[in-house]
Amino acid sequence: MTRLLNGIVAFGSALLLAVTLISAGFAAVAIPDAATATLSRAFSGCDQPSTPFTADELASMAIAGKHYTFDDNDREKLDAAIAEANAAAEADGRATASTRESAARSLPADAISHLDDVYRVASMAKPALVIVAVLCIAGLAHVAVRIGRRALGRTLIAGGGLVLAAFCALGAWAAIDFDGLFAAFHSLFFQAGTWTFPYDSLLITLYPTAFWMGMGGIWLAVTCGLSILAVLIGFTLGHKQHD
């Protein structure tokens, strides 16, 4: 009975580790502002040469949108950032007050609704992923203490290897058809028709395809890097135990 229980814990810990490694990549792009700021300055407005906003103004609005979506859901702060960018554009003669409410210079109700949908999903995911991480640590500790170092090594290899295999497949999909992967990912969480917007809308200007490809690249790099580390540690533990 004990052996069966230990096997179940080891298997479960490998799965929890895989989820935790994926979550770490998500946290790297969703929690700090650095990724949003860097990618926005590089890509926001790249498909909209006629946008009246400067790179700094686009970055400011993109960061405010990130805060609204993943952090505080504070509409006043988001509206203030957009209003400030519009005021600057109008003061410099890059835009006129008559077009301020257009979709190219504001976030209409459908765009805000989508950001709210993302916020709801993120708000549920964050505590769930923290719980998974805590259970993962507890499971790995059980494996290390109750089963042994070699079993811990196998668990780390299994968890890290599972993620690497999955991300290799997703990476190949992204390289061949990023838009298809993007659509499939959104369809898992959002109702069809609620997350597509005109190509010249402010939301798409702030977060074009190149922006999301960059985000995906950071997520991929962080998760794969940690997964490789887990596999290497697993091999090291198994080797030491063997010696």
Side-chain angles (χ1 to χ4, degrees):
M1 186 65 180
T2 301
R3 186 173 182 179
L4 175 62
L5 177 61
N6 285 340
I8 292 173
V9 172
F11 178 77
S13 297
L15 294 179
L16 291 171
L17 176 60
V19 175
T20 300
L21 292 169
I22 294 172
S23 301
F26 170 74
V29 297
I31 295 177
D33 291 343
T36 299
T38 300
L39 293 172
S40 175
R41 288 191 171 88
F43 300 118
S44 291
C46 64
D47 297 330
Q48 302 297 331
S50 61
T51 181
F53 302 114
T54 65
D56 286 340
E57 289 162 358
L58 290 170
S60 176
M61 289 188 285
I63 293 171
K66 177 262 180 187
H67 288 170
Y68 181 81
T69 306
F70 290 103
D71 300 330
D72 52 30
N73 203 229
D74 189 328
R75 179 69 182 274
E76 290 186 3
K77 290 182 180 179
L78 176 60
D79 288 345
I82 295 174
E84 183 179 355
N86 273 287
E90 291 168 13
D92 291 349
R94 289 177 274 124
T96 61
S98 62
T99 61
R100 176 177 282 210
E101 299 303 318
S102 68
R105 295 179 57 193
S106 66
L107 295 178
D110 59 344
I112 293 296
S113 177
H114 176 57
L115 296 183
D116 288 338
D117 288 343
V118 176
Y119 178 77
R120 283 189 285 270
V121 172
S123 296
M124 291 186 291
K126 286 178 182 179
L129 295 176
V130 170
I131 292 172
V132 167
V134 171
L135 292 175
C136 174
I137 294 171
L140 293 176
H142 176 92
V143 172
V145 174
R146 297 294 184 181
I147 309 178
R149 183 185 298 177
R150 193 171 186 180
L152 176 60
R154 290 195 300 267
T155 302
L156 292 175
I157 293 170
L162 178 63
V163 173
L164 289 172
F167 268 48
C168 282
L170 291 174
W173 186 359
I176 296 171
D177 181 19
F178 181 83
D179 289 340
L181 174 60
F182 191 76
F185 179 81
H186 276 68
S187 67
L188 294 175
F189 303 102
F190 311 112
Q191 187 176 1
T194 63
W195 52 271
T196 54
F197 303 92
Y199 80 97
D200 58 348
S201 65
L202 179 59
L203 189 62
I204 300 303
T205 300
L206 294 176
Y207 311 112
T209 298
F211 175 92
W212 293 117
M213 291 180 71
M215 281 291 188
I218 295 173
W219 190 341
L220 181 71
V222 171
T223 293
C224 287
L226 292 175
S227 298
I228 291 171
L229 180 62
V231 171
L232 292 176
I233 293 174
F235 275 118
T236 300
L237 290 174
H239 180 72
K240 287 183 176 179
Q241 181 69 19
H242 180 71
D243 289 344

